[in-house]
Amino acid sequence: MPVDLSVDMIKATVQLEQGLGEGNRTVGTGFLLNVPTADGHPRTILVTAGHVLNRMPRPEARIGYRFATTGGGWRYDPQPLTIRTRDGAPKWVQHPDRDIAAIEITAPEEFTRAAIPLSWLAGDDTFNRSHLGPGDEMMALGFPLGLAANKAGFPILRAGKVASYPLAPSGEFPTFLLDFNVFPGNSGGPIYVTKNGENFIAGMLTQQVELTGERLDIGIVTHARYIRETIDMLDGHAPPPAQYAETNTPGAVAASMLGENR
């Protein structure tokens, strides 16, 4: 694993969008994983928050690919992504207890290479070994309000402090809090750690915290364990029974995904 995986994570993170008519669109973030099949066949998996895809009613979404051009430039080239069958059935799988979805995709070669290994996803032992806790910094990638870092369509990198305790075991504490401003469009983005020799994906941003209609500028991160379990569902494996019924943040609601056209 690289000493600093930020560039690798940026390359693997993409914008997802679908037009809703009258100048509106629904926008989210996803990232690509390299997950070969049991027989070793190459496979690229897109993971995102479940509500990102659920709020896209049409069969075809767009995924924001980027391609290098001559002279060091980049070209933003969003391409069609079929997410539903003709009768509207989802082509993705969604974790039964967590807001995480996974779908196998056929990506351009550049993005097949950019997809990150499944082994970079943290487990409970990763959190325990790294001694992460309240106040430690994690990085977040996404497209707040559908905004990219530049015309090439790269995601925006931000940072936040861990705002809850404890972080593990994930079966008891399936989510944790991250202190940073969350906007529509951030949902589905990777949350990762690159600090003191530790480099791993901690989880996925799936919600923001709201109490009595007030945003608290706190994100809810679902543990990477549940990303693994969702990917396993693509191969017909059912996740283990939930040990914890819902998010550990009372009154938390999912962030809106409606954004403005860029």
Side-chain angles (χ1 to χ4, degrees), residues 34-259:
N34 176 19
V35 188
T37 60
D39 60 2
H41 185 74
R43 182 172 57 168
T44 303
I45 305 298
L46 169 70
V47 293
T48 185
H51 72 264
V52 169
L53 298 181
N54 282 318
R55 294 185 181 187
M56 295 181 175
R58 297 171 181 166
E60 195 172 272
R62 294 205 306 169
I63 182 169
Y65 291 130
R66 306 165 295 262
F67 299 96
T69 61
T70 56
W74 289 85
R75 172 173 53 90
Y76 183 61
D77 187 14
Q79 297 183 10
L81 174 66
T82 301
I83 59 171
R84 296 180 184 272
T85 62
R86 290 186 177 181
D87 60 3
K91 298 194 72 171
W92 69 89
V93 296
Q94 182 161 344
H95 196 284
D97 305 305
R98 302 291 148 212
D99 188 16
I100 294 180
I103 182 172
E104 181 177 351
I105 67 170
T106 301
E109 183 179 352
E110 293 91 332
F111 281 83
T112 299
R113 292 196 305 266
I116 56 179
L118 187 66
S119 61
W120 291 11
L121 295 177
D124 285 350
D125 57 336
T126 313
F127 282 89
N128 294 332
R129 183 186 67 247
S130 62
H131 303 292
L132 279 173
D136 285 330
E137 186 176 74
M138 292 188 179
M139 312 305 290
L141 286 167
F143 298 90
L145 299 178
L147 180 67
N150 46 44
K151 65 180 182 179
F154 284 100
I156 294 174
L157 176 63
R158 299 161 69 202
K161 302 286 188 179
V162 175
S164 58
Y165 175 87
L167 298 185
S170 57
E172 287 290 333
F173 304 96
T175 63
F176 60 90
L177 303 182
L178 199 64
D179 183 15
F180 81 114
N181 293 335
V182 179
F183 295 92
N186 281 128
S187 290
I191 304 297
Y192 66 95
V193 174
T194 171
K195 180 180 180 182
N196 298 330
E198 294 287 350
N199 296 272
F200 59 85
I201 301 168
M204 178 190 294
L205 181 73
T206 50
Q207 294 175 306
Q208 69 179 5
V209 178
E210 290 184 8
L211 292 174
T212 62
E214 293 287 339
R215 288 183 55 201
L216 302 187
D217 294 333
I218 296 174
I220 301 178
V221 181
T222 299
H223 267 283
R225 160 188 172 173
Y226 299 100
I227 300 175
R228 289 179 182 271
E229 290 183 0
T230 306
I231 292 172
D232 285 344
M233 292 173 62
L234 289 170
D235 296 320
H237 304 298
Q243 298 179 36
Y244 198 88
E246 263 305 328
T247 177
N248 55 339
T249 307
V253 298
S256 167
M257 298 305 302
L258 292 180

